[in-house]
Amino acid sequence: MPAKLKDVAVRAGVSVRTVSNVVNTPEVVAEDTRRRVLLAIEELGYRPNVAARQLRRGRSEVIGLVVPEIDSPYFAELAAYVVRAAEARGWTVHIEQTDGSGPRERELLDGARGQGVDGVIFSPWSMTADEISRRTAAPPVVMLGEQPGVGAVDHVAVDNRVAAASATRHLLASGRRRIAAVGLQPHLRNQTAQHRLAGYRDALAEAGVPDDERLHVAVERLHHEDGVRAMRRLAELDELPDALFCFTDQLALGALRACANLGLRVPEDVALVGFDDIEAGRYAVPSLTTVGPDKQRLAEVVLRCLEERMRDHALPGRDLVVPHRLLVRESAPAPADPAPRAE
C-alpha cells in the first residue's frame, strides 16, 4: 500500500503539517527537520498526489533541464543530483539536449511554456544572458555556467577564475613551469573557458612565470579525443610542457591516454590536472587530480532559485557562487609527497 503523508510524519517524528510544508514550501522548515523528513520520504517511497498539487497550485510541477550534452559525464552527474532534489519537492524533470547549438537553445527556451514546464534550468553555450533575459514570454530561468546574470535571470556557477588559479598554483608549487592550458573554445559565447584561462594566467603572473601562448590549446569539443589531439599537438613543440591544466576531466583523461601512447610518464614527465571531478577520473591510472565543484550543492541552489523565481517573477537577477575544492590525486601529487599517492 502506498505510503501516506501521515506515515512520513510518524517515521520522521513530526506533524503532518510539517511534512506538508517540506513537500510544498520547504524554505519555511528548519534544515535539520527538512532533512529528517526527506529521509523518511525516501525510505518510505512516499510520492505526493501530483494531480491534486497541480490543481491547488495552478502549476504543472514539471521543470526543464536544458544542457549541451546529456552524455557528458559532468552533466549526467549533475542531472542526477537535480532529479533527486526535484523529486524531494514532488517535481518531475524534463531533460533536453542542445549540442551547444544556438538555434536549438532558442527553440527550447521559446517553446518551454508550450511544453507546460514551470521553469527552466539552462546551461547555454551559444546564447548570452542578455538574449535569455529579453525572452519575457518564457517561464522563469536559472542559468548554469559562467555568464553574468542580467534582468530577471539567476546565474549559478563555481568561481571558475579562482578555481583555475588554484589548480595552476598547485602545479607551480610542485616545480612545473611549462604549464599548458587545454580547453579554450573561442567559437562559443559562454565565458567558462575565458574565466579558466584568466585564472591560469593569474597564477602564472603571481609566480613570475611567462605566459607562453604556444601552450594555449583550443579545442572543438570537450571530449576525450580532443584531449588526445591536444596532447599530441603539444608533444610536437620544441620543448615539451611539463604539466597540463585541462578545462575538463574528459580532456585530461584523453591527454592521459595520449601520454601513454607517446611513452610519457604521468606525473614524472607530465603532470595533469582536470576540472569537474567526474567518477572516471577517480579510477584512472594514475587517478586524476581535479577541481571538484560541489555538484550536489549546485543542484540544490539552482532548484531553490527556480522555486523562488516561480513564486515571484519580478525578482532581480542574482549571481550565486557554489563551493569547489582541489582534489589532489596521483596525476599531480602534492609537492611534499615522496611519491604519487591516491586520494
Side-chain angles (χ1 to χ4, degrees), residues 90-223:
W91 296 354
T92 299
V93 182
H94 182 77
I95 302 175
E96 291 279 6
Q97 174 173 284
T98 67
D99 289 314
S101 159
R104 176 68 172 156
E105 290 179 354
R106 281 182 278 276
E107 174 193 350
L108 287 172
L109 198 57
D110 287 342
R113 184 171 295 278
Q115 292 172 2
V117 299
D118 297 323
V120 178
I121 299 167
F122 189 36
S123 180
W125 278 2
S126 295
M127 291 183 70
T128 66
D130 283 323
E131 288 180 90
I132 294 164
S133 68
R134 288 197 297 267
R135 292 175 136 67
T136 55
V141 174
V142 176
M143 289 176 59
L144 292 170
E146 199 72 54
Q147 292 199 11
V150 295
V153 177
D154 289 328
H155 158 237
V156 183
V158 299
D159 191 324
N160 280 291
R161 185 165 186 163
V162 169
S166 68
T168 309
R169 287 192 198 103
H170 173 74
L171 291 167
L172 290 163
S174 65
R176 313 289 171 157
R177 288 298 178 268
R178 284 185 54 77
I179 303 171
V182 177
L184 282 69
Q185 291 188 290
H187 57 289
L188 296 183
R189 299 179 73 180
N190 71 332
Q191 299 175 19
T192 301
Q194 293 95 310
H195 281 262
R196 291 180 187 177
L197 179 65
Y200 158 88
R201 284 174 156 163
D202 290 343
L204 293 183
E206 289 169 10
V209 174
D211 179 20
D212 185 349
E213 293 197 0
R214 291 175 299 175
L215 298 177
H216 299 179
V217 184
V219 296
E220 182 66 26
R221 310 285 283 185
L222 300 171
H223 299 166

Side-chain angles (χ1 to χ4, degrees), residues 51-334:
R53 281 169 52 123
Q54 289 173 350
L55 288 171
R56 185 171 63 251
R57 291 180 155 197
R59 297 208 304 253
S60 69
E61 306 293 338
V62 177
I63 64 169
L65 174 62
V66 179
V67 297
E69 298 176 329
I70 296 171
D71 57 353
S72 157
Y74 171 76
F75 285 115
E77 291 177 16
L78 178 60
Y81 283 115
V82 168
V83 168
R84 290 189 198 106
E87 284 179 344
R89 291 166 166 83
W91 296 354
T92 299
V93 182
H94 182 77
I95 302 175
E96 291 279 6
Q97 174 173 284
T98 67
D99 289 314
S101 159
R104 176 68 172 156
E105 290 179 354
R106 281 182 278 276
E107 174 193 350
L108 287 172
L109 198 57
D110 287 342
R113 184 171 295 278
Q115 292 172 2
V117 299
D118 297 323
V120 178
I121 299 167
F122 189 36
S123 180
W125 278 2
S126 295
M127 291 183 70
T128 66
D130 283 323
E131 288 180 90
I132 294 164
S133 68
R134 288 197 297 267
R135 292 175 136 67
T136 55
V141 174
V142 176
M143 289 176 59
L144 292 170
E146 199 72 54
Q147 292 199 11
V150 295
V153 177
D154 289 328
H155 158 237
V156 183
V158 299
D159 191 324
N160 280 291
R161 185 165 186 163
V162 169
S166 68
T168 309
R169 287 192 198 103
H170 173 74
L171 291 167
L172 290 163
S174 65
R176 313 289 171 157
R177 288 298 178 268
R178 284 185 54 77
I179 303 171
V182 177
L184 282 69
Q185 291 188 290
H187 57 289
L188 296 183
R189 299 179 73 180
N190 71 332
Q191 299 175 19
T192 301
Q194 293 95 310
H195 281 262
R196 291 180 187 177
L197 179 65
Y200 158 88
R201 284 174 156 163
D202 290 343
L204 293 183
E206 289 169 10
V209 174
D211 179 20
D212 185 349
E213 293 197 0
R214 291 175 299 175
L215 298 177
H216 299 179
V217 184
V219 296
E220 182 66 26
R221 310 285 283 185
L222 300 171
H223 299 166
H224 296 104
E225 58 265 30
D226 298 282
V228 170
R229 284 193 287 267
M231 186 64 237
R232 287 175 178 163
R233 202 179 317 161
L234 290 165
E236 294 173 355
L237 296 175
D238 293 337
E239 187 178 357
L240 187 74
D242 55 14
L244 273 64
F245 168 46
C246 297
F247 291 4
T248 71
D249 282 355
Q250 280 188 282
L251 290 172
L253 291 171
L256 178 62
R257 176 73 257 181
C259 284
N261 292 343
L262 293 165
L264 298 171
R265 300 168 301 163
V266 177
E268 293 85 356
D269 300 321
V270 180
L272 294 176
V273 174
F275 205 114
D276 290 338
D277 187 31
I278 64 173
E279 185 179 24
R282 299 168 217 159
Y283 296 96
V285 180
S287 56
L288 187 62
T289 294
T290 186
V291 175
D294 188 338
K295 291 188 277 287
Q296 182 173 7
R297 176 67 177 157
L298 183 60
E300 285 290 347
V301 170
V302 295
L303 283 170
R304 188 181 71 238
C305 286
L306 198 58
E307 199 167 31
E308 292 169 353
R309 192 160 292 287
M310 288 190 303
R311 287 199 300 268
D312 183 359
H313 289 210
L315 283 174
R318 298 167 288 185
D319 291 327
L320 301 173
V321 176
V322 297
H324 68 271
R325 58 186 179 134
L326 182 66
L327 301 165
V328 178
R329 302 192 182 110
E330 296 166 330
S331 69

